[in-house]
């Protein structure tokens, strides 16, 4: 592994958690730490790298400003804290990077923006324009309006969605730990550190634990989930300790971390978006013949579907499962749940009779599908 972990990458998305930006005891911004991080970012930018920051911290800062002391806030108070704290957070980033002559731009996202294709493309264009003008976009979930039911729930997954959106080479998650261990190190003194993760397997998922701080909604499990989104789209991911000053400089000087390797080939833009879908509305179980047809690049026809589960409408993301129950593909449903149930197992002529369709009989068209081989995406 290279001593400089960031050397291979030209476009970076860097995620900063609340527990790094805000002192857990006082609720105050960690000013000196942020200044040190800004110096690291300025150095990377001076080397010609494009940088996008996904920053938590709005709620944590807003709690202090509004004198909200409870460790767990009801939704309406969380939204109010986010509203007040977002101003302080934006100002902190503008001042810290402005000291190095860097202009920042603020973008607040809600899940519909990355989950609906038109909004996704608009957000990507805005970020690309800011980068082209030499600015550093500062992105956060719009917690002041997001509901408990409709939200990313953690900025790890949000940062992964952003990284795939802008086709970042690498996503860096700065955390309170220096990477992934074989077991939670706080509970198991014999846990071993993993320098490199070639693929996110069930064994890797089993190593992840829950959130460690009341300031954050994420934990190692959400980081591994973020890794799945990023790496399947061809973006590498690094988990590194960020608690000390100059955390990115430390990475360039050989600090310990875990690197999650990206898929070998970068999928087409539309398929990267499909792969990163945060909400999967249902599943289509297929027989062995259909599974083989999908692996060879064919569309999914109703005749190969054996079972339909979930509650989805046309255009929703659904999983495709082989006879052993393994997810082999993901795509956008061409029919809703009720229609899919009606036509499963039937040939194209019968499907046309039932639904009154013309020549189109696909349940999921190959253009709206990503086939997963292991944990790598095959662009069909």
């Amino acid at each position: 592994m290279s001593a400089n972990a960031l050397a291979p990458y030209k476009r970076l998305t860097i995620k900063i958690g609340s527990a790094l930006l805000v002192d857990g005891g006082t609720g105050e911004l960690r000013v000196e730490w942020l200044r040190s991080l800004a110096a690291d970012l300025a150095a990377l930018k001076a080397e010609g790298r494009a940088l996008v920051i996904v920053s938590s911290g709005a709620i944590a800062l807003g709690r202090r400003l509004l004198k909200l002391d409870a460790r767990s806030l009801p939704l309406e108070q969380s939204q109010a804290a986010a509203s007040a704290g977002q101003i302080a957070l934006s100002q902190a980033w503008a001042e810290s990077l402005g000291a190095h002559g860097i202009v920042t731009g603020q973008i607040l996202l809600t899940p519909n923006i990355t989950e609906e294709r038109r909004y996704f493309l608009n957000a990507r264009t805005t970020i690309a324009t800011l980068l082209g003008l030499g600015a550093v976009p500062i992105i956060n979930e719009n917690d002041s309006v997001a509901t408990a039911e409709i939200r990313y729930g953690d900025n790890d997954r949000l940062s992964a969605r952003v990284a795939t959106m802008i086709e970042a080479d690498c996503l860096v998650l700065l955390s309170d730990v220096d990477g992934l261990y074989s077991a939670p190190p706080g509970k198991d003194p014999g846990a071993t550190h993993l320098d490199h993760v070639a693929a996110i397997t069930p064994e890797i998922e089993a190593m992840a634990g829950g959130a460690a701080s009341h300031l954050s909604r994420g934990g190692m499990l959400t980081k591994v989930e973020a890794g799945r989104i990023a790496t399947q789209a061809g973006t590498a991911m690094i988990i590194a300790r960020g608690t000390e000053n100059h955390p990115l400089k430390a990475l360039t000087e050989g600090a310990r971390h875990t690197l999650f390797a990206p898929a070998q080939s970068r999928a087409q833009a539309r398929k990267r978006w499909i792969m990163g879908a945060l909400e999967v509305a249902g599943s289509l179980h297929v027989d062995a013949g259909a599974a083989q047809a999908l692996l060879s690049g064919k569309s999914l026809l109703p005749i190969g579907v054996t079972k339909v589960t979930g509650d989805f409408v046309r255009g929703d993301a659904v999983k495709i499962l082989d006879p052993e129950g393994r997810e082999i593909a993901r795509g956008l449903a061409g029919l809703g749940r009720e229609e899919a149930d009606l036509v499963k197992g039937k040939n194209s002529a019968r499907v046309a009779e039932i639904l009154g369709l013309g020549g189109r009989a696909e349940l999921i068209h190959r253009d709206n599908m990503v086939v997963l081989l292991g944990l790598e995406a095959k662009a069909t």
Side-chain angles (χ1 to χ4, degrees):
M1 188 177 292
S2 170
N4 182 352
L6 303 181
Y9 310 116
K10 294 299 183 184
R11 177 167 288 200
L12 296 167
T13 297
I14 301 163
K15 183 261 180 179
I16 314 297
S18 294
L20 300 182
L21 267 174
V22 182
D23 186 288
T26 65
E28 299 278 354
L29 186 74
R30 297 180 65 206
V31 177
E32 288 303 317
W33 180 87
L34 182 56
R35 286 175 179 165
S36 78
L37 177 66
D40 293 354
L41 293 168
L44 291 171
K45 195 170 186 303
E47 294 173 356
R49 303 175 202 270
L51 306 173
V52 174
I53 308 299
V54 177
S55 175
S56 303
I59 293 177
L61 290 173
R63 293 167 67 101
R64 182 186 61 81
L65 293 170
L66 297 177
K67 298 179 172 58
L68 298 170
D69 297 326
R71 292 173 72 88
S72 179
L73 299 178
L75 176 61
E76 61 274 13
Q77 289 189 1
S78 290
Q79 291 174 325
S83 178
Q86 193 62 53
I87 296 173
L89 182 65
S90 179
Q91 182 178 5
W93 277 110
E95 289 179 353
S96 61
L97 287 173
H100 299 274
I102 298 172
V103 175
T104 58
Q106 182 189 60
I107 300 176
L108 299 179
L109 297 179
T110 48
N112 68 296
I113 292 176
T114 60
E115 302 306 286
E116 296 180 28
R117 182 70 174 165
R118 178 166 59 91
Y119 295 135
F120 174 94
L121 294 173
N122 287 341
R124 186 176 69 177
T125 298
T126 300
I127 295 170
T129 302
L130 284 168
L131 292 174
L133 294 171
V136 172
I138 309 295
I139 298 173
N140 193 7
E141 181 171 7
N142 193 355
D143 287 308
S144 63
V145 298
T147 67
E149 295 78 17
I150 307 173
R151 69 185 314 158
Y152 294 100
D154 61 81
N155 273 353
D156 293 323
R157 293 196 305 164
L158 171 58
S159 65
R161 275 304 245 164
V162 169
T164 62
M165 176 191 293
I166 67 166
E167 300 182 40
D169 302 312
C170 184
L171 166 64
V172 179
L173 302 183
L174 292 180
S175 178
D176 57 356
V177 294
D178 56 6
L180 179 66
Y181 284 75
S182 59
K187 299 179 181 178
D188 184 354
T192 57
H193 182 271
L194 281 71
D195 292 328
H196 185 270
V197 174
I200 298 175
T201 63
E203 290 75 21
I204 293 296
E205 291 177 329
M207 297 176 186
S213 167
H214 73 281
L215 289 178
S216 74
R217 293 194 294 263
M220 191 55 68
L221 180 59
T222 70
K223 290 172 175 53
V224 171
E225 291 173 349
R228 185 186 299 280
I229 293 170
T231 57
Q232 285 181 351
T235 297
M237 188 179 84
I238 288 173
I239 299 175
R241 188 186 303 279
T243 49
E244 304 302 321
N245 287 352
H246 296 287
L248 295 176
K249 181 181 179 183
L251 267 179
T252 67
E253 295 176 347
R256 188 158 72 167
H257 62 280
T258 299
L259 172 67
F260 291 74
Q264 292 302 306
S265 60
R266 186 178 289 276
Q268 300 166 9
R270 179 174 176 81
K271 299 198 175 189
R272 286 198 306 275
W273 172 68
I274 293 171
M275 276 189 294
L278 297 175
E279 300 298 333
V280 179
S283 298
L284 301 173
H285 299 249
V286 302
D287 59 27
Q292 187 57 47
L294 296 181
L295 295 178
S296 66
K298 303 293 177 55
S299 298
L300 177 60
L301 300 178
I303 193 170
V305 176
T306 59
K307 181 180 176 182
V308 179
T309 60
D311 182 15
F312 55 89
V313 298
R314 186 174 183 270
D316 280 349
V318 295
K319 294 180 180 179
I320 303 173
L321 308 178
D322 70 6
E324 284 74 47
R326 298 172 300 190
E327 183 181 2
I328 58 170
R330 184 171 297 189
L332 305 181
L335 299 173
R337 162 66 192 269
E338 292 184 3
E339 292 175 319
D341 249 338
L342 284 174
V343 301
K344 70 176 186 292
K346 296 178 173 58
N347 63 33
S348 298
R350 184 69 180 122
V351 170
E353 290 177 11
I354 294 172
L355 299 180
L357 301 176
R360 290 187 60 114
E362 304 95 347
L363 195 45
I364 300 180
H365 192 275
R366 56 173 287 170
D367 291 345
N368 293 324
M369 185 193 313
V370 179
V371 175
L372 306 174
L373 299 180
L375 290 174
E376 293 189 357
K378 175 183 177 183
T380 58

